[in-house]
């Protein structure tokens, strides 16, 4: 099987700041992967490179492939980059929906990639597309809100609509950048469970950046941890230990390593952690 993600020699410099430093990464499973690391470690920058939204430094060996297609190489977009963007669904912290439009129209926007141009400018979606959009809304439990304006929804509901839009897009992979950062705990749980369920049932790989280590360990079978723009850990979530996490976030002193599971939240830098056994 082709790798889901293959990154070679990825370096990204902003001015004098090396945000990513010679990243080599291979993900060959379809299970959920959490991108972890302290603030500024390069998580979002890596995700944007995978999405083909940002291009790396022009290094000789720099290359990124997603689902077997080259997104970019040597800091330049590949001929397949549009195709790569079309196959990826994006979930952002700020939902990225069009507030003044209805929930249904926002989901239908997911179909734009494979809809003839004349239909997109007239907003003339087919009956079948509308049925698919409603099915996507049902999948995320938002069918009753189909004709409501997005601006009237809560943050958690908006994020579920954004997930429905990715399904409508027929995304073959989902990149989620801090999807629960602005949500309350209950909405966060619903969104993470939904992403996990879609990953397991539809078999769509999900790569998600998170600050909440407890959510990462609970919902994601795999972790890629970054520190100072370098890979610090890659492996199964179950295998990562508390000491490694403390080292990752550089805040051992803030962490009571003897603390029992779940009863007491442990702070890891910005990341609240109630460790799961
Ligand atoms: N467009 C940009 N211009 C300049 N510097 C940037 C830009 N994007 C990211 N950086 C820098 O690159 C580094 C990595 O940033 P990035 O946002 O990827 O980190 P992160 O791990 O996602 O952080 P956070 O968890 O706080 O979102 C930081 O030092 C950041 O300031």
């Amino acid at each position: 099987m082709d790798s889901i993600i293959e990154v070679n020699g990825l370096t990204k410099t902003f001015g004098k700041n090396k945000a990513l430093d010679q990243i080599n990464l291979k993900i060959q499973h379809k299970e959920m992967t959490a991108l972890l690391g302290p603030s500024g470690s390069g998580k979002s920058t890596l995700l944007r490179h995978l999405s083909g939204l940002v291009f790396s430094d022009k290094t000789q060996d720099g290359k990124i492939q997603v689902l077997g297609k080259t997104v970019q190489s040597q800091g330049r977009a590949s001929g397949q980059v549009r195709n790569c963007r079309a196959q990826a669904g994006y979930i952002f912290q700020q939902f990225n929906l069009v507030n003044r439009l209805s929930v249904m129209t926002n989901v239908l926007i997911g179909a734009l990639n494979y809809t003839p141009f004349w239909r997109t400018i007239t907003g003339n979606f087919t009956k079948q597309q509308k049925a698919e959009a409603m099915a996507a809304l049902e999948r995320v439990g938002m069918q009753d809100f189909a004709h409501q304006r997005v601006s009237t929804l809560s943050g958690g509901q908006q994020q579920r609509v954004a997930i429905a839009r990715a399904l409508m897009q027929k995304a073959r992979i989902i990149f989620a950048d801090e999807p629960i950062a602005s949500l309350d705990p209950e909405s966060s749980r619903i969104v993470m469970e939904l992403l996990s369920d879609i990953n397991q049932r539809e078999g769509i790989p999900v790569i998600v950046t998170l600050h909440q280590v407890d959510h990462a360990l609970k919902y994601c079978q795999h972790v890629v941890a970054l520190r100072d723009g370098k890979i610090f850990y890659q492996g199964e979530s179950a295998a990562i230990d508390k000491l490694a996490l403390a080292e990752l976030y550089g805040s051992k002193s803030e962490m009571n390593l003897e603390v029992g599971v779940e009863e007491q939240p442990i702070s890891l830098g910005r990341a609240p952690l109630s460790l799961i056994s």
Side-chain angles (χ1 to χ4, degrees):
M1 184 181 76
D2 278 336
S3 294
I4 301 296
I5 304 280
E6 192 158 350
V7 176
N8 294 300
L10 167 59
T11 295
K12 178 67 180 179
T13 315
F14 294 107
K16 288 183 180 165
N17 178 14
K18 217 174 238 187
L20 296 174
D21 189 1
Q22 276 294 318
I23 298 280
N24 294 303
L25 177 66
K26 208 172 196 177
I27 297 179
Q28 287 179 298
H29 56 79
K30 284 185 151 191
E31 294 168 321
M32 293 257 286
T33 300
L35 279 182
L36 291 180
S39 192
S41 57
K43 303 179 293 297
S44 298
T45 305
L46 175 56
L47 206 65
R48 285 190 207 124
H49 278 82
L50 299 179
S51 316
L53 302 173
V54 171
F55 297 98
S56 70
D57 292 357
K58 293 181 169 46
T59 53
Q60 195 64 29
D61 55 343
K63 187 170 179 182
I64 298 176
Q65 290 170 287
V66 174
L67 300 177
K69 292 192 176 81
T70 302
V71 180
Q72 53 180 285
S73 78
Q74 298 180 341
R76 291 184 191 85
S78 84
Q80 297 174 300
V81 72
R82 286 174 71 106
N83 216 325
C84 292
R85 287 183 189 139
Q87 72 179 358
Y90 307 103
I91 313 289
F92 299 95
Q93 177 181 347
Q94 291 308 331
F95 322 125
N96 280 44
L97 299 171
V98 186
N99 275 325
R100 67 191 159 76
L101 297 180
S102 72
V103 164
M104 182 73 165
T105 308
N106 269 277
V107 176
L108 282 164
I109 285 172
L112 290 184
N113 274 329
Y114 54 89
T115 302
F117 180 66
W118 68 268
R119 275 194 185 278
T120 68
I121 52 171
T122 53
N124 199 353
F125 292 96
T126 64
K127 245 185 177 175
Q128 191 191 331
Q129 285 175 322
K130 287 177 188 165
E132 281 174 21
M134 191 53 95
L137 283 170
E138 274 168 25
R139 180 72 180 85
V140 303
M142 287 294 293
Q143 66 277 16
D144 294 344
F145 298 83
H147 302 295
Q148 225 166 286
R149 271 184 188 219
V150 157
S151 55
T152 63
L153 303 182
S154 71
Q157 290 169 333
Q158 290 194 41
Q159 203 57 299
R160 283 150 71 190
V161 174
I163 295 170
R165 184 183 55 190
L167 293 176
M168 184 70 199
Q169 185 194 330
K170 304 191 197 310
R172 294 182 57 227
I173 187 165
I174 290 179
F175 296 120
D177 197 1
E178 300 196 28
I180 57 171
S182 47
L183 303 184
D184 61 76
E186 179 57 8
S187 303
S188 299
R189 184 188 64 76
I190 292 169
V191 166
M192 288 307 296
E193 282 185 0
L194 193 50
L195 287 173
S196 169
D197 197 53
I198 286 169
N199 170 253
Q200 284 171 28
R201 286 214 244 163
E202 274 87 347
I204 300 174
V206 176
I207 317 284
V208 54
T209 70
L210 288 167
H211 273 293
Q212 298 81 350
V213 179
D214 49 355
H215 281 75
L217 300 185
K218 183 170 179 183
Y219 295 106
C220 304
Q221 294 81 0
H222 299 264
V223 165
V224 173
L226 292 177
R227 196 172 69 170
D228 299 329
K230 296 193 171 86
I231 301 273
F232 173 84
Y233 174 85
Q234 186 192 357
E236 292 185 9
S237 313
I240 194 164
D241 67 28
K242 296 173 188 176
L243 272 170
L245 281 169
E247 197 186 335
L248 170 65
Y249 287 94
S251 59
K252 269 185 198 163
S253 58
E254 288 181 57
M255 188 173 175
N256 178 356
L257 295 171
E258 303 306 320
V259 160
V261 179
E262 282 182 345
E263 306 93 41
Q264 293 192 38
I266 305 168
S267 167
L268 274 177
R270 256 182 72 183
L273 171 69
S274 46
L275 275 173
I276 293 163
S277 56

